[in-house]
Amino acid sequence: MGPLSVIKRNEVVIHNITQMNLENTMQSESDFTLLGIPGLGQYHVWISIPFCFIYLAAIVGNSILLYLIAVEHSLHAPMFFFLSMLAMTDLILSTTCVPKTLTIFWLGPQKISFPGCLTQLFFLHCSFVLDSAILMAMAFDRYVAICSPLRYTTILTPRTIIKIAVGISFRSFCIILPVVFLLTRLPFCRTRIIPHTYCEHIGVARLACADISVNIWYGFGVPIMTVISDVILIAVSYSLILRAVFRLPSRDARHKALGTCGSHVCVILMFYTPAFFSILAHRFGHNVSRTFHILFANLYIVIPPALNPIVYGVKTKQIRDKVILLFSTKATE
């Protein structure tokens, strides 16, 4: 092998190494860095302990709920089908964000690629909108069950339930998908450091060095108007339910009818109260500290998914009886 061929081979090797270094640098520069909760960095490890246990409770509780609804024939009813949808959506909501959050709490600030960031915020926002739609569908289920009990099985047929499930899922997908395209058009030429534990639409958009007015109007306007329309329909459903309940002749009948709605009302309050507080604080709460807002946002993605199966397990007799039977059977084996 002559000196010329050796030089050429070395040049090729140097070129390949340089190209790889350049690609790695470009990849590194395109990544975002999630910092965690600003101002509480020294407490991240301690904060992670309750977060981890609550997340595990959400995983276990919703998994048990899905298992019982799948194997128990007596739970194959429209209300429990929607409840299983809620459990699956809660699992997606918490699993989208909490594992990355715990990694930040344990190992410090973490990098996330731009596609990874888009994927995370898509499933985060889509799960939120879908949760709201499922609660609306459950309110409609309770309205039919109480106001038209004799027509319940003819109105909420399996075909109708599938149509409702596909419709609300497709609606959530169509509402959140434009958010991804609104972010991909933005140039990020300033900092790529996100003072948060996960990616969310407006937080990422504010890092761009371009006009983000379209992102702000769409990000706040369309999802909020969608959720508000769900809330209005839920309120109308429960107004009609209350009117029908108070027309019942016996007190026991009224108590039983309201009892079937108790768990659903609790879940509605747990979902919408912190959600609207977080949204309004993010948009108008200039006096609310960033630390409090981000801490509250983290609690929101982990506490409702953990509490929902507990609420339904305690307040819904069919599920409560099946859970007791499940664990008593395990204990006697």
Side-chain angles (χ1 to χ4, degrees):
M1 184 181 292
L4 189 58
S5 61
V6 171
I7 291 170
K8 279 189 172 181
R9 190 178 69 175
N10 290 340
E11 285 178 350
V12 170
V13 172
I14 292 170
H15 174 76
N16 290 338
I17 293 172
T18 305
Q19 187 69 24
M20 288 173 62
N21 288 337
L22 182 61
E23 288 176 359
N24 289 336
T25 302
M26 291 176 65
Q27 177 66 32
S28 177
E29 289 177 353
S30 67
D31 290 345
F32 291 91
T33 300
L34 295 167
L35 289 184
I37 303 175
L40 296 179
Q42 65 271 34
Y43 304 112
H44 276 175
V45 174
W46 297 105
I47 295 172
S48 71
I49 296 172
F51 263 81
C52 185
F53 280 109
I54 296 171
Y55 175 60
L56 290 175
I59 297 294
V60 172
N62 285 290
S63 298
I64 290 173
L65 203 57
L66 288 170
Y67 171 76
L68 290 175
I69 293 172
V71 301
E72 294 292 341
H73 185 73
S74 61
L75 300 180
H76 292 176
M79 181 181 78
F80 298 109
F81 176 80
F82 292 129
L83 181 55
S84 67
M85 281 190 68
L86 185 68
M88 285 188 287
T89 308
D90 282 344
L91 285 174
I92 294 171
L93 175 64
S94 56
T95 304
T96 297
C97 302
V98 177
K100 191 73 173 179
T101 299
L102 290 174
T103 306
I104 295 168
F105 287 163
W106 290 333
L107 303 176
Q110 296 291 306
K111 289 188 178 295
I112 184 170
S113 66
F114 186 54
C117 193
L118 291 178
T119 303
Q120 187 183 57
L121 67 87
F122 172 79
F123 281 105
L124 170 70
H125 296 306
C126 191
S127 299
F128 172 78
V129 176
L130 183 56
D131 261 345
S132 178
I134 293 169
L135 291 176
M136 177 186 66
M138 294 173 80
F140 175 69
D141 168 81
R142 291 299 84 202
Y143 162 73
V144 176
I146 293 174
C147 298
S148 302
L150 299 179
R151 299 174 58 204
Y152 182 74
T153 54
T154 57
I155 294 175
L156 288 176
T157 61
R159 186 182 181 88
T160 302
I161 294 166
I162 295 298
K163 285 181 179 179
I164 292 172
V166 172
I168 60 179
S169 301
F170 184 69
R171 186 194 75 162
S172 304
F173 177 83
C174 291
I175 289 170
I176 301 303
L177 185 62
V179 168
V180 176
F181 293 105
L182 287 173
L183 285 173
T184 53
R185 71 183 180 87
L186 295 175
F188 295 94
C189 51
R190 293 197 294 262
T191 180
R192 287 177 174 267
I193 297 174
I194 303 174
H196 211 307
T197 56
Y198 55 82
C199 296
E200 51 91 19
H201 175 210
I202 301 302
V204 175
R206 282 177 175 159
L207 300 178
C209 48
D211 180 36
I212 62 167
S213 56
V214 176
N215 294 73
I216 291 174
W217 283 109
Y218 187 90
F220 285 114
V222 176
I224 288 177
M225 291 307 298
T226 304
V227 172
I228 287 175
S229 67
D230 293 343
V231 171
I232 291 171
L233 291 173
I234 290 171
V236 170
S237 296
Y238 272 95
S239 298
L240 296 173
I241 288 171
L242 289 175
R243 188 178 71 173
V245 166
F246 288 116
R247 287 180 175 178
L248 294 174
S250 73
R251 184 176 178 179
D252 289 341
R254 290 196 296 268
H255 181 74
K256 184 178 179 180
L258 290 174
T260 62
C261 302
S263 53
H264 187 225
V265 171
C266 290
V267 170
I268 288 172
L269 293 175
M270 285 192 304
F271 177 79
Y272 286 113
T273 304
F276 279 117
F277 175 82
S278 182
I279 291 169
L280 294 174
H282 196 77
R283 183 67 182 90
F284 303 108
H286 303 296
N287 295 326
V288 178
S289 70
R290 178 182 288 181
T291 299
F292 176 81
H293 173 76
I294 294 175
L295 182 61
F296 190 85
N298 277 277
L299 292 173
Y300 174 71
I301 62 169
V302 71
I303 289 181
L307 289 181
N308 286 350
I310 296 173
V311 169
Y312 276 102
V314 171
K315 296 189 73 66
T316 307
K317 186 178 184 300
Q318 299 100 308
I319 294 176
R320 185 172 65 246
D321 292 344
K322 297 302 179 184
V323 170
I324 293 170
L325 181 62
L326 175 66
F327 284 101
S328 63
T329 304
K330 294 288 184 184
T332 56
E333 288 179 355

